Amino acid sequence: MGFVGETIDSIKSIQIRQLLSQTVSLGMIVTSALIIWKALICITGSESPVVVVLSGSMEPGFKRGDILFLHMSDDPIRAGEIVVFNVDGREIPIVHRVIKVHERKDTGEVDVLTKGDNNYGDDRLLYAQGQLWLQRHHIMGRAVGFLPYVGWVTIIMTEKPIIKYILLGALGLLVITSKD
Amino acid sequence: MHSFGYRANALLTFAVTILAVMCAMASLSDNFNSPTPSAQVQVLNINWFQKHQDGNDEVSLALNVSANLQSLFTWNTKQVFVFLAIEYETPMNSLNQISLWDGIIPAKEHAKFWIQTSNKYQFVDQGSNLRGKDFNLTLHWHVMPKTGKMFADKIVMSGYRLPQEYR
């Protein structure tokens, strides 16, 4: 029997009180994850404080599957910074480096041009039709820190949803059958 | 208490915690490094200097860049991204920053370099303000770690001036 038998026995022996307490602990896990995420949004000022690199356009600096930590402060944007931006008409944000900055004297508005380190040309081909510059409102944050490989988890889960369901099922079973 | 699930969970948690602590320590250890980089840039020639039909000035420069960035490298350094930006002020813009040349230094052995190049990216002004313009050349570098916080710094070199006439 071993592991499987024990698991089945423990499911059979569930009582109402135990079920309730496990639901509560599962709820605690979910809400604490939510709290951490929202707190990060508050601290960093960026609407998505952590992003996963999806393309190889910044190699060898950032590879596919790396995680970037973003920060959005009121500091002006300067050349050389790695920014995450959204282009009108594109859903997926892009992580590239700023190569040109023109900052207005009267309004403080900026015109920014970006380029991927591993790309040959600048990003004007990626921008919306006829768009020459990015403005402040396109930019979601600048990359300040970096963690390799961890993002593969999310890439695999979005590309192979079946693995996500298996993982969720296994975790759920683990929570239900745990005896604390 | 001592089921397979518990042991697997405890092992995984411990492994991930240790990994996270080691990453944080590697990143923090970068703070003990105090680099002393040096750089020189010469403008060898103005290849061309003209006004476009849309009214914007464009310049092509021949540059000689030499730098020693070896002291930036630590055991947690994956690469150093280095670029030379031209910086100037115009009546309309309080800051114009245009990258003229950039490069990726993958290892300490390549961090002492000398290069003669024309500007890699177009040097186009917003408007026609470049005749007789004073400008700074700034060598920036961004240190990309194997893990953790990224660092950036620069050396500003001033006292350059563009010619009074188009050529």
Side-chain angles (χ1 to χ4, degrees):
Chain A
M1 292 294 275
F3 175 60
V4 180
E6 269 174 36
T7 313
I8 292 170
D9 283 346
S10 67
I11 291 174
K12 280 180 190 159
S13 69
I14 288 177
Q15 270 131 36
I16 295 292
R17 176 189 286 266
Q18 207 185 344
L19 189 73
L20 278 177
S21 83
Q22 270 155 4
T23 318
V24 169
S25 65
L26 192 67
M28 292 282 275
I29 293 169
V30 174
T31 42
S32 56
L34 194 71
I35 289 169
I36 291 171
W37 179 251
K38 291 289 176 191
L40 272 178
I41 292 180
C42 280
I43 294 165
T44 61
S46 173
E47 48 192 308
S48 59
V50 177
V51 293
V52 176
V53 179
L54 294 175
S55 82
S57 60
M58 286 296 280
E59 282 194 37
F62 301 144
K63 294 196 177 67
R64 188 169 146 81
D66 291 347
I67 274 191
L68 297 183
F69 297 95
L70 304 188
H71 187 74
M72 193 69 209
S73 56
D74 290 333
D75 297 342
I77 291 159
R78 290 290 175 259
E81 289 174 342
I82 298 164
V83 294
V84 180
F85 58 92
N86 257 318
V87 175
D88 305 327
R90 268 176 189 264
E91 260 178 48
I92 299 171
I94 303 173
V95 185
H96 278 175
R97 192 185 296 275
V98 174
I99 61 167
K100 293 186 187 183
V101 174
H102 295 281
E103 190 173 77
R104 296 282 171 284
K105 196 169 266 175
D106 43 357
T107 59
E109 280 176 34
V110 281
D111 283 340
V112 169
L113 180 67
T114 54
K115 174 184 173 286
D117 287 358
N118 198 27
N119 292 354
Y120 182 73
D122 61 43
D123 285 348
R124 286 199 173 134
L125 290 172
L126 299 175
Y127 297 167
Q129 192 94 43
Q131 185 181 359
L132 292 179
W133 305 98
L134 292 178
Q135 264 81 42
R136 184 93 200 184
H137 66 264
H138 293 113
I139 291 168
M140 295 162 61
R142 69 193 94 200
V144 289
F146 161 75
L147 201 60
Y149 306 119
V150 185
W152 273 111
V153 181
T154 50
I155 291 185
I156 289 168
M157 282 209 250
T158 35
E159 284 177 3
K160 299 246 185 332
I162 186 84
I163 293 180
K164 178 166 62 182
Y165 297 129
I166 292 174
L167 214 66
L168 276 177
L171 276 179
L173 211 65
L174 214 68
V175 173
I176 290 171
T177 55
S178 67
K179 284 174 199 141
D180 278 328
Chain B
M1 275 307 278
H2 301 286
S3 70
F4 173 77
Y6 268 106
R7 288 180 173 167
N9 189 5
L11 189 66
L12 190 72
T13 314
F14 187 62
V16 170
T17 314
I18 292 292
L19 198 63
V21 168
M22 283 171 71
C23 287
M25 278 164 59
S27 180
L28 285 175
S29 72
D30 278 343
N31 292 319
F32 296 117
N33 185 36
S34 45
T36 50
S38 62
Q40 270 121 42
V41 179
Q42 280 174 290
V43 177
L44 298 176
N45 188 25
I46 313 282
N47 297 332
W48 70 77
F49 182 12
Q50 60 197 23
K51 189 173 179 176
H52 281 231
Q53 283 187 335
D54 57 14
N56 293 336
D57 282 354
E58 182 183 355
V59 186
S60 171
L61 301 168
L63 300 160
N64 185 350
V65 185
S66 64
N68 182 357
L69 305 179
Q70 283 179 322
S71 57
L72 295 172
F73 279 80
T74 67
W75 67 329
N76 190 32
T77 306
K78 183 201 255 175
Q79 64 167 37
V80 171
F81 182 89
V82 57
F83 69 99
L84 183 74
I86 191 162
E87 293 171 353
Y88 60 96
E89 195 183 331
T90 57
M92 184 172 78
N93 294 335
S94 56
L95 177 73
N96 299 277
Q97 246 186 341
I98 295 171
S99 174
L100 296 181
W101 168 85
D102 59 19
I104 293 169
I105 306 172
K108 192 172 186 172
E109 295 79 62
H110 303 114
K112 193 174 178 184
F113 61 90
W114 174 91
I115 187 169
Q116 197 166 320
T117 177
S118 289
N119 49 314
K120 187 170 160 184
Y121 306 113
Q122 274 194 314
F123 173 20
V124 179
D125 184 35
Q126 286 190 332
S128 172
N129 313 296
L130 291 184
R131 276 167 297 171
K133 175 62 75 183
D134 291 318
F135 62 93
N136 287 344
L137 286 172
T138 307
L139 194 81
H140 296 256
W141 56 88
H142 284 238
V143 180
M144 284 197 189
K146 291 205 167 84
T147 180
K149 195 177 178 311
M150 298 188 274
F151 294 91
D153 209 347
K154 62 188 176 183
I155 296 179
V156 181
M157 289 155 279
S158 54
Y160 301 91
R161 173 174 283 189
L162 285 165
Q164 292 287 349
E165 298 299 325
Y166 295 121
R167 55 172 87 166

